[in-house]
Amino acid sequence: MMPTTTPELNLEANSLSTPTGAAPQKTASQRPMFYEFKPEETVKAAHGTTLRCKTWEAEAALRMLENNLDPAVSLVYDELIVYGGAGRAARNWKEYQVIVKTLKELEADETMLVQSGKAVGVLKTWLHAPRVLIANSNIVPAWSTQEYFDELDRMGLMMYGQMTAGSWIYIATQGILQGTYETFAAMADQHFGGTLRGTITVTAGLGGMSGAQPLAVTMNDGVCLVIEPIDERVKQKMREGYVDEQARNLTHALEVCEQAKAAGKAWAVGLTGNAATVLPQLLALGFNAEIVTDQTSAHDLMDYIPEGDITEVLALRAANPEAFKKQALASIVKHVEAILEMQRHGTIAVDYGNNLRGQAEKGGLTVRDSTGQFLYPGFVPAYIRPLFCEGKGPFRWAALSGDPADILRIDRALLETFPDNKLLARWIEKAQAKVPFIGLPARVCWLGYGEREQFGLVINDLVARGEVSAPIVIGRDHLDCGSVASPNRETEGMKDGSDAVADWPLLNALANCASGADWVSLHNGGGVGIGNSTHSGMVIVATGTPEKAERLKRVLTTDPGMGIFRHADAGYELAQDVARERGAKIPGLK
């Protein structure tokens, strides 16, 4: 809630909080956070059917914003950081309060404009227009560097929105879990006869997104050793069920992993340590994993934790950012050198989209072959692109009621709607058994062109009949089939060489506005860092009305349709075949 009296703004009094909750004095290098505006009560999403806003669409945006910041969901609550290093939900606490107030006052035919976490205008539009339009971190291309962004950030003029942090559709680690599950399932199919049973995957990172990897491996029946420098994050992922056991040390970790592998047991082991240190140790011991990957936060050097005593390293980050970044880059080079050496020893190496290879290249390491291709591939070109060609991607929904029973009812409807999809049935079974609801209950599921529209109408009908107790928010990750240009991740190695063409996410955002989405976002840099990607997000709320059913049909056809258009245009025959079979209209396609 707003303070009872408006405080005098004194930027010199603002401060950044530390992990212990203490608030040191603001320095010239720190962004203004306006802590005097932080709500007295901890932010958590409202539940139930009582509206604080004038429409369910605005209420949904408010609840999803609150859900992003819920301490059970967010990475650093005091700084409004949701995940991905510094991905924020709002620019600062003052602007958060303004956004909340504006959403509560927003009329049914008005649209709020949000510029990098700050509400900057309200427009009179239409009942079927988006209630919120969001742009985060976008900079004119020649200026779109991490250094220039950091300066704007320090001045309080911009924030990093990551992907779903600044677009208010983050659903904690589950949000990326099925995509990670699908990736490891594809690896199992290609390399191990359809299962990861009897294999060990080595990876690193247990933040909000990277925590998905150990559970995705075990859901595919494999063993995972995951390395994380912050001990509390290992413990948190154990509490949440993403990690099964915390190792005492490296020797203990390898003993547990080898025993589980021999027994064909699915098991995830968390090891407190630094990947740049541990991977070379594994090589020295002659340990050969079947798979090696990584999902530490590496897109911004300030978010990658280098080797050394963790307390000293974090102190260096606060006291001398430039020295910290040099150490981070040196550790990244060691990290990637070790991955490449493991690959030479027969381990399957795959990049999981955090720009680790790109940073190592900046550090002077050779990461490409003579043709310019990366020495080990990204997960999209290696395993996921055929799904993108079918318009598939991480479709998700959240229960505004806060009642897990609503998600379980939708799970049942999902299996009834697609009874022949065995992989989907396996996912739902395992998700119900192993994936905790964190914040607002939610589910993620990879559905393709035609399927999303079909199931969106099923959800809307459940709301209309009262079989779920409140409207359902339907959205997706920005990592989707037609919503992102990211040459080091989603669009790496496109068939026609169009990796860096950013027209597609721009068209995606425009098309979703034209089709009637409830809020639409357009970001720079998510996943791989400022200047390295452009991507858009879409959300629509199933309210149970006939009018919303019509909009759901349009939006949930338009949005994955962009994936068909994008990949068909790039020359992928699978996407062209899907377009013909499912009636996606592409001028010039015979």
Side-chain angles (χ1 to χ4, degrees):
M1 69 184 174
M2 286 286 287
T4 52
T5 58
T6 302
E8 293 294 324
L9 297 185
N10 175 7
L11 295 186
E12 293 305 313
N14 294 329
S15 57
L16 288 174
S17 65
T18 65
T20 61
Q25 288 299 306
K26 174 180 174 289
T27 66
S29 65
Q30 293 172 338
R31 69 196 318 275
M33 290 301 299
F34 296 97
Y35 287 105
E36 62 270 34
F37 284 88
K38 189 170 77 169
E40 294 177 7
E41 295 183 8
T42 302
V43 174
K44 295 184 179 181
H47 292 185
T49 57
T50 300
L51 293 176
R52 298 161 296 170
C53 302
K54 296 182 179 182
T55 64
W56 264 114
E57 288 79 8
E59 181 72 25
L62 176 55
R63 292 192 191 189
M64 294 307 293
L65 168 61
E66 293 170 333
N67 191 63
N68 272 17
L69 290 173
D70 183 334
V73 175
S74 62
L75 190 65
V76 186
Y77 172 78
D78 280 358
E79 297 180 36
L80 299 104
I81 293 175
V82 182
Y83 77 96
R88 289 182 165 85
R91 193 181 300 185
N92 54 52
W93 286 109
K94 176 185 174 185
E95 300 306 338
Y96 167 79
Q97 296 282 16
V98 174
I99 289 171
V100 170
K101 183 174 185 292
T102 305
L103 285 171
K104 290 179 177 179
E105 296 174 350
L106 203 63
E107 298 292 343
D109 61 351
E110 289 183 329
T111 298
M112 176 176 68
L113 305 178
V114 178
Q115 181 262 318
S116 284
K118 177 180 181 179
V120 295
V122 174
L123 303 174
K124 181 67 74 173
T125 55
W126 306 96
L127 292 173
H128 56 269
R131 297 283 70 82
V132 185
L133 294 173
I134 299 172
N136 284 313
S137 321
N138 296 291
I139 303 172
V140 172
W143 281 262
S144 191
T145 65
Q146 187 68 51
E147 292 72 22
Y148 186 60
F149 168 82
D150 288 343
E151 182 59 28
L152 293 171
D153 192 29
R154 282 191 291 269
M155 295 167 65
L157 299 176
M158 185 162 272
M159 74 167 200
Y160 184 49
Q162 250 296 349
M163 288 192 155
T164 54
S167 57
W168 312 339
I169 191 62
Y170 183 66
I171 58 169
T173 306
Q174 185 188 171
I176 199 172
L177 180 60
Q178 196 195 2
T180 313
Y181 165 80
E182 295 273 0
T183 301
F184 282 108
M187 295 180 79
D189 287 340
Q190 286 189 32
H191 306 295
F192 304 107
T195 178
L196 293 183
R197 190 181 307 278
T199 69
I200 297 176
T201 297
V202 175
T203 186
L206 282 172
M209 290 286 91
S210 51
Q213 289 200 339
L215 184 53
V217 171
T218 59
M219 290 173 84
N220 279 285
D221 302 320
V223 178
C224 184
L225 171 59
V226 57
I227 305 154
E228 165 58 52
I230 299 177
D231 185 67
E232 176 52 33
R233 290 188 183 172
V234 181
K235 291 179 168 58
Q236 179 181 348
K237 289 304 172 187
M238 282 189 62
R239 291 192 296 269
E240 293 174 358
Y242 286 85
V243 171
D244 296 303
E245 180 175 355
Q246 182 170 13
R248 296 188 299 272
N249 50 46
L250 180 57
T251 300
H252 179 229
L254 295 183
E255 288 175 356
V256 173
C257 288
E258 292 285 13
Q259 288 170 4
K261 175 182 176 178
K265 177 182 178 182
W267 201 247
V269 179
L271 174 66
T272 303
N274 193 289
T277 303
V278 174
L279 293 191
Q281 290 174 340
L282 294 177
L283 286 163
L285 291 169
F287 174 79
N288 290 317
E290 280 70 29
I291 300 169
V292 63
T293 185
D294 172 76
Q295 207 180 14
T296 53
S297 187
H299 57 274
D300 182 349
L301 291 176
M302 287 295 287
D303 297 323
Y304 181 95
I305 297 177
E307 293 180 281
D309 177 84
I310 188 66
T311 302
E312 294 177 2
V313 165
L314 293 178
L316 178 65
R317 182 168 66 177
N320 191 337
E322 292 307 312
F324 176 89
K325 286 191 281 189
K326 287 181 181 178
Q327 289 192 18
L329 193 59
S331 290
I332 286 174
V333 168
K334 281 188 64 178
H335 189 165
V336 176
E337 277 182 322
I339 290 174
L340 289 169
E341 186 62 23
M342 293 176 81
Q343 183 186 46
R344 285 189 282 270
H345 283 74
T347 298
I348 295 165
V350 62
D351 181 271
Y352 214 82
N354 54 1
N355 208 31
L356 191 74
R357 298 169 303 177
Q359 296 286 25
E361 189 170 37
K362 288 181 181 178
L365 185 67
T366 298
V367 298
R368 300 177 192 264
D369 63 20
S370 58
T371 69
Q373 298 301 307
F374 282 111
L375 293 171
Y376 64 97
F379 75 105
V380 173
Y383 302 107
I384 296 297
R385 185 152 293 145
L387 297 179
F388 281 0
C389 288
E390 296 182 56
K392 288 187 177 180
F395 186 61
R396 59 179 62 164
W397 51 91
L400 293 175
S401 65
D403 187 352
D406 285 351
I407 295 299
L408 297 178
R409 175 65 187 92
I410 294 172
D411 283 351
R412 192 165 83 248
L414 183 67
L415 298 178
E416 293 167 351
T417 305
F418 305 107
D420 298 326
N421 191 328
K422 303 305 180 186
L423 188 64
L424 177 61
R426 182 182 177 210
W427 159 250
I428 292 298
E429 176 188 354
K430 289 182 175 291
Q432 288 181 350
K434 301 194 73 171
V435 179
F437 290 132
I438 301 172
L440 286 176
R443 186 70 76 217
V444 62
C445 177
W446 279 51
L447 293 178
Y449 186 74
E451 295 173 330
R452 297 192 200 187
E453 172 199 352
Q454 182 181 0
F455 195 59
L457 294 175
V458 169
I459 292 175
N460 198 59
D461 191 49
L462 290 174
V463 177
R465 298 201 311 263
E467 293 190 40
V468 295
S469 55
I472 301 294
V473 167
I474 298 174
R476 57 159 172 78
D477 197 353
H478 289 208
L479 187 168
D480 199 24
C481 55
S483 62
V484 60
S486 184
N488 285 355
R489 193 160 83 169
E490 290 86 350
T491 53
E492 176 186 333
M494 291 295 289
K495 188 173 183 178
D496 64 345
S498 61
D499 304 23
V501 174
D503 294 337
W504 298 101
L506 302 180
L507 287 170
N508 180 271
L510 292 169
N512 278 315
C513 289
S515 299
D518 286 320
W519 70 90
V520 177
S521 53
L522 190 61
H523 296 190
N524 170 29
V528 290
I530 295 298
N532 292 306
S533 65
T534 301
H535 44 92
S536 60
M538 173 284 302
V539 182
I540 186 166
V541 186
T543 57
T545 66
E547 294 79 10
K548 189 51 71 77
E550 183 61 33
R551 288 168 62 186
L552 282 160
K553 282 197 296 184
R554 295 179 188 277
V555 171
L556 298 182
T557 301
T558 293
D559 190 51
M562 290 300 304
I564 305 296
F565 297 164
R566 200 268 182 266
H567 289 86
D569 189 74
Y572 290 94
E573 293 181 2
L574 176 58
Q576 294 170 357
D577 290 343
V578 171
R580 294 186 189 99
E581 291 167 4
R582 304 184 193 177
K585 296 182 179 180
I586 300 179
L589 181 66
K590 296 180 181 179

